[in-house]
Amino acid sequence: KATGQNFEKVVKNILKSHPFTIEIAKYYHIPLDDIDNNLEIEICNLDGEFARGNGKVIRIDKKLLNKDFFNKNFHFVIHEFFHWLKRRSEQLFYFNDPEEVQSFVLQIVWLLISGKNLKTINDEIYPIIQNHFKNDSKSRLLYNEMLEKANNLFNIYKKTKYK
């Protein structure tokens, strides 16, 4: 039975070495070192919850810790690990956050509503997006997708504006 720091070490070793969790981390572009450097695992009393995470810490209810935790209850760690991966991915790469992407789309719609032309919008918005990429073709692709969504919303706005 693993407890305390030993428990954290065992959990992290599983997360860094199991083929399933390695592939998930790769998919979200999270280096395995981040598990050691940016994730804490705690055992605590969660008052009826099995596990909880916040993007930095995965907390496991102490009631789950029995001699068979790693066979019967490790799936709770996997659930919270996925949340951690998503949040970490959003921290490391700005545009993995759908809310951020939608915010840019709405910003472009507002500029269109305000009468700005596409060149002005491109000159103002694209450099912000481009700054987050190493590959210009990927930044251009994302910007074009945002622009298409913005145009669709703008067209809906124009149709309903005069009714």
Side-chain angles (χ1 to χ4, degrees):
K1 183 174 174 177
T3 57
Q5 287 182 329
N6 185 40
F7 177 78
E8 181 177 35
K9 183 178 178 182
V10 172
V11 169
K12 286 182 175 185
N13 283 338
I14 292 169
L15 294 174
K16 293 184 304 183
S17 64
H18 195 282
F20 177 66
T21 52
I22 289 171
E23 286 305 311
I24 295 170
K26 280 184 192 174
Y27 180 82
Y28 285 99
H29 308 288
I30 302 300
L32 294 178
D33 294 4
D34 276 13
I35 294 169
D36 282 328
N37 301 326
N38 296 291
L39 176 64
E40 295 176 42
I41 311 290
E42 293 180 357
I43 301 166
C44 55
N45 183 357
L46 293 178
D47 296 320
E49 289 183 73
F50 296 113
R52 183 185 313 153
N54 66 7
K56 295 180 182 181
V57 180
I58 294 175
R59 292 182 175 90
I60 303 296
D61 189 275
K62 62 185 175 184
K63 293 175 190 160
L64 294 176
L65 296 184
N66 56 40
K67 62 182 178 186
D68 212 13
F69 173 82
F70 293 100
N71 289 321
K72 290 191 176 181
N73 292 324
F74 198 76
H75 60 92
F76 292 109
V77 172
I78 296 300
H79 178 102
E80 294 303 328
F81 179 64
F82 175 73
H83 290 303
W84 176 80
L85 283 172
K86 288 288 289 169
R87 289 181 183 113
R88 186 78 183 135
S89 175
E90 289 166 5
Q91 289 171 349
L92 294 175
F93 184 63
Y94 193 57
F95 293 111
N96 281 352
D97 181 355
E99 183 178 326
E100 200 57 55
V101 173
Q102 187 65 16
S103 295
F104 271 96
V105 169
L106 296 175
Q107 183 178 4
I108 293 168
V109 173
W110 183 259
L111 290 169
L112 291 167
I113 290 169
S114 301
K116 305 289 188 224
N117 64 39
L118 290 178
K119 182 184 180 334
T120 301
I121 293 170
N122 183 69
D123 291 348
E124 195 165 325
I125 302 298
Y126 181 66
I128 299 168
I129 295 165
Q130 185 181 31
N131 190 44
H132 292 277
F133 285 85
K134 294 177 185 165
N135 180 324
D136 191 50
S137 65
K138 288 183 180 179
S139 63
R140 182 56 65 184
L141 180 65
L142 178 62
Y143 175 73
N144 288 339
E145 289 172 6
M146 289 176 177
L147 195 57
E148 183 179 345
K149 289 176 184 176
N151 274 319
N152 290 339
L153 287 172
F154 180 59
N155 287 330
I156 291 168
Y157 166 77
K158 288 192 308 187
K159 288 177 187 174
T160 59
K161 178 180 159 188
Y162 301 107
K163 290 186 177 185

